[in-house]
């Protein structure tokens, strides 16, 4: 997956492959506030998208459509520098769109209101993608270490951050 930080092509099709590999198939971990998930899509998100079946049977094509609309498009990934698209997408998937945007805003010195508007995009464009990526990942890791379920998920989350650093 190398090369993206320095401006390689990063689009939804590439990003979704990465996220699906990390998220895996079905999970219902007692320490995960998301509850039942498949491909990383929580039951609540699947229900909002109109899915009514058993989460173990959530179709992959529906999961991809949800990811596109609810996460990729929601963080305006196509408008971001290629070097931070995957990091923002993954952050939104892991911790929610609003939280990912606030991390980005803090990373670039913008008001952290959770709205990715023209001021935030301008602040992002004023810095190198590598600088933004590193600062965003620092914000994310700092936040995660304070979560009550850090003990249960710290290894996986730390590895996820490491993957983002190496990507």
């Amino acid at each position: 997956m190398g090369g993206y930080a320095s401006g390689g092509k990063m689009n939804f099709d590439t990003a979704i492959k990465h996220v699906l590999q990390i998220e895996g198939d079905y999970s219902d971990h007692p320490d995960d506030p998301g509850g039942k998930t498949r491909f990383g899509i929580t039951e609540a998100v699947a229900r909002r998208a109109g899915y009514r079946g058993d989460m173990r049977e959530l179709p992959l094509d529906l999961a991809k459509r949800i990811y596109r609309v609810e996460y990729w498009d929601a963080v305006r990934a196509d408008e971001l520098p290629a070097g931070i698209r995957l990091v923002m997408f993954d952050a939104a998937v892991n911790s929610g769109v609003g939280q990912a945007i606030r991390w980005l805003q803090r990373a670039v010195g913008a008001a952290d209101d959770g709205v990715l508007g023209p001021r935030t995009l301008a602040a992002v464009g004023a810095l190198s993608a590598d600088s933004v990526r590193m600062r965003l990942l620092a914000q994310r890791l700092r936040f995660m270490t304070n979560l009550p379920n850090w003990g249960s998920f710290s290894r996986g989350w730390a590895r996820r951050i490491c993957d983002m650093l190496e990507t």
Side-chain angles (χ1 to χ4, degrees):
M1 293 283 284
Y4 302 118
S6 58
K9 184 172 181 173
M10 173 52 67
N11 58 30
F12 176 76
D13 292 332
T14 304
I16 192 64
K17 288 176 189 171
H18 182 85
V19 166
L20 288 172
Q21 183 178 3
I22 292 169
E23 290 292 345
D25 198 316
Y26 178 79
S27 175
D28 188 11
H29 195 286
D31 292 339
D32 184 350
K36 296 175 184 175
T37 67
R38 183 155 193 219
F39 309 122
I41 301 295
T42 66
E43 186 170 26
V45 170
R47 300 292 181 238
R48 278 197 315 267
Y51 181 69
R52 299 292 171 244
D54 186 312
M55 283 303 292
R56 288 180 199 87
E57 304 299 322
L58 179 76
L60 179 58
D61 65 325
L62 176 57
K64 287 180 179 179
R65 287 195 309 269
I66 291 169
Y67 272 126
R68 177 71 193 221
V69 172
E70 298 291 328
Y71 301 97
W72 182 266
D73 291 346
V75 298
R76 299 172 66 175
D78 288 324
E79 298 175 55
L80 297 171
I84 65 168
R85 289 176 187 163
L86 177 59
V87 173
M88 276 299 291
F89 178 54
D90 187 68
V93 166
N94 199 210
S95 298
V97 170
Q99 187 61 62
I101 292 170
R102 284 188 288 279
W103 290 332
L104 177 65
Q105 290 170 324
R106 291 176 198 144
V108 300
D112 62 343
D113 60 6
V115 177
L116 186 51
R119 289 185 185 137
T120 300
L121 290 172
V124 168
L127 298 170
S128 75
D130 283 342
S131 175
V132 173
R133 188 167 51 89
M134 296 300 171
R135 292 174 186 194
L136 193 152
L137 289 168
Q139 290 288 330
R140 183 175 173 186
L141 185 56
R142 191 173 292 114
F143 174 89
M144 294 174 120
T145 62
N146 289 315
L147 292 174
N149 54 357
W150 172 254
S152 297
F153 299 110
S154 58
R155 282 187 176 183
W157 288 340
R159 287 183 181 127
R160 197 169 183 151
I161 299 287
C162 288
D163 286 347
M164 294 293 114
L165 289 167
E166 290 180 331
T167 300

